[in-house]
């Protein structure tokens, strides 16, 4: 197993690192305070050809691999967690289901504008009563003539305010007495009866778009079903495997930023006549941060590498997401601690990293769900 980046991957990382440092990071704190979505940044990413990076060139994509996608998420998240999660969700949740399960016509119609940056991608799975238990979906789709009529709601949906279409799940029948038949559909956001509500007050990631979807007698053509009838839940769980690589990469990026701030501050902060980086207690904190950061990064790259090889990566994606998100939370916590009272203040940024990091232990499968997946994959 060789984790040395290819020349193309190195070029992508360097380009996005420079872009993130010049365009993303400088305004991150202000956007967080104002809860201001970074639309201009995504307009620029679209012009750079990054929004369709891992998708085929025939649909306007970049034809790159999953490792490259992870590198972009990592570098954007290092500059701004809200930007990182917006990009990750656009690709791994918005574009991936259409790429994986869409017909040729659906790919041309819906994947192409996502790749070219015409609008952002979104994905509707979670409901008020169906979070970790996605099989508890209550949104329904009833066939009437040549239309599907959808009713229900979705919550905690990323990017929907900036999407013209999104894929979501709905119950289309019963497979058995206790098992619902769940299918996936592509739904235009301007459909009559479709509402996108943005009213959440969040702990962190304030510059990202998190919405509620309400569907009241939304009529869509029968050809808008994504994949076969009854395959929606399976399709979206496959999609989440790839999404977990994105969350892991996001965790690495935020952790990298927190570690860099802590290391720099420790060298500059003088107490008792010397910089606090000279004290063994602080050195041990920084050593643990560096170690866990490197381990998390390698786990994310391994999961992405396996996906690119076409091998089963479910276990590795869950391990990477679980370890990286929990390591990120610990690193951000210690970054605040090393900064002391300053760490509690907005001006030093680490409190924002801490707030942003918490979502990573919850979104796209909680830490508890990841442990369930890993246990199943190892044969428990």
């Amino acid at each position: 197993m060789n984790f040395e980046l290819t020349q193309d991957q190195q070029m992508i990382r360097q380009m996005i690192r420079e872009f993130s440092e010049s365009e993303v990071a400088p305004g991150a704190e202000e956007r967080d305070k104002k809860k201001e979505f970074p639309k201009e940044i995504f307009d620029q990413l679209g012009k750079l050809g990054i929004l369709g990076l891992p998708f085929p060139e025939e649909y306007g994509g970049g034809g790159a691999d999953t490792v490259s996608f992870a590198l972009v998420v990592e570098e954007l998240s290092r500059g701004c967690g809200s930007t990182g999660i917006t990009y990750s969700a656009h690709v791994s949740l918005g574009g991936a289901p259409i790429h994986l399960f869409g017909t040729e016509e659906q790919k041309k119609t819906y994947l192409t504008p996502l790749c070219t940056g015409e609008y952002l991608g979104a994905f509707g799975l979670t409901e008020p009563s169906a979070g970790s238990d996605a099989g508890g979906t209550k949104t329904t789709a009833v066939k009437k003539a040549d239309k599907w009529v959808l009713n229900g709601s979705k919550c905690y949906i990323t990017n929907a305010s900036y999407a013209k279409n999104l894929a979501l799940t709905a119950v289309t029948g019963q497979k058995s007495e206790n098992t619902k038949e769940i299918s996936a559909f592509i739904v235009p956001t301007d459909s009559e009866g479709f509402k996108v509500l943005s009213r959440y007050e969040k702990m962190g990631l304030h510059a990202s778009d998190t919405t509620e979807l309400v569907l009241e007698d939304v009529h869509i053509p029968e050809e808008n079903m994504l994949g076969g009838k009854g395959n929606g839940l399976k399709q979206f769980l496959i999609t989440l495997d790839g999404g977990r690589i994105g969350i892991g990469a996001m965790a690495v990026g935020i952790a990298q930023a927190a570690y860099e701030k802590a290391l720099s501050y420790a060298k500059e902060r003088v107490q008792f006549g010397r910089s606090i980086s000279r004290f063994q207690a602080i050195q041990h904190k920084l050593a643990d941060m560096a170690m866990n950061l490197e381990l998390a990064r390698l786990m994310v790259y391994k999961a992405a590498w396996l996906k690119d090889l076409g091998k089963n990566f479910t276990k590795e994606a869950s391990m990477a997401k679980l370890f990286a998100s929990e390591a990120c939370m610990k690193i951000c916590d210690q970054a605040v601690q090393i900064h002391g009272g300053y760490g509690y203040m907005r001006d030093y940024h680490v409190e924002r990293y801490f707030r942003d990091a918490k979502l990573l232990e919850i979104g796209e499968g909680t830490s508890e769900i990841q442990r369930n997946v890993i246990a199943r994959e190892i044969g428990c």
Side-chain angles (χ1 to χ4, degrees), residues 10 14 30 50 66 87 121 124 163 167 177 215 225 248 268 349:
Q10 291 178 33
Q14 187 59 35
E30 192 66 18
I50 298 300
T66 311
Y87 177 78
E177 183 179 349
L215 299 90
M225 178 175 280
E268 296 171 0
H349 300 281

Side-chain angles (χ1 to χ4, degrees), residues 248-321:
M250 186 182 164
V252 171
I254 293 175
Q256 180 70 44
Y259 165 71
E260 290 172 356
K261 290 284 188 184
L263 180 60
S264 176
Y265 180 84
K267 290 178 178 179
E268 296 171 0
R269 176 66 168 171
V270 174
Q271 292 286 274
F272 305 104
R274 53 180 172 165
S275 68
I276 63 173
S277 65
R278 303 290 294 171
F279 292 100
Q280 190 177 66
I282 302 299
Q283 291 174 346
H284 285 184
K285 289 181 186 295
L286 290 165
D288 285 344
M289 292 162 76
M291 175 183 66
N292 284 305
L293 176 57
E294 192 64 20
L295 287 170
R297 177 176 285 114
L298 290 173
M299 292 178 80
V300 171
Y301 290 2
K302 179 183 178 182
W305 175 75
L306 287 172
K307 184 175 185 291
D308 287 333
L309 291 178
K311 296 186 177 182
N312 189 309
F313 65 98
T314 297
K315 172 171 64 72
E316 287 76 12
S318 281
M319 285 183 169
K321 193 269 188 189

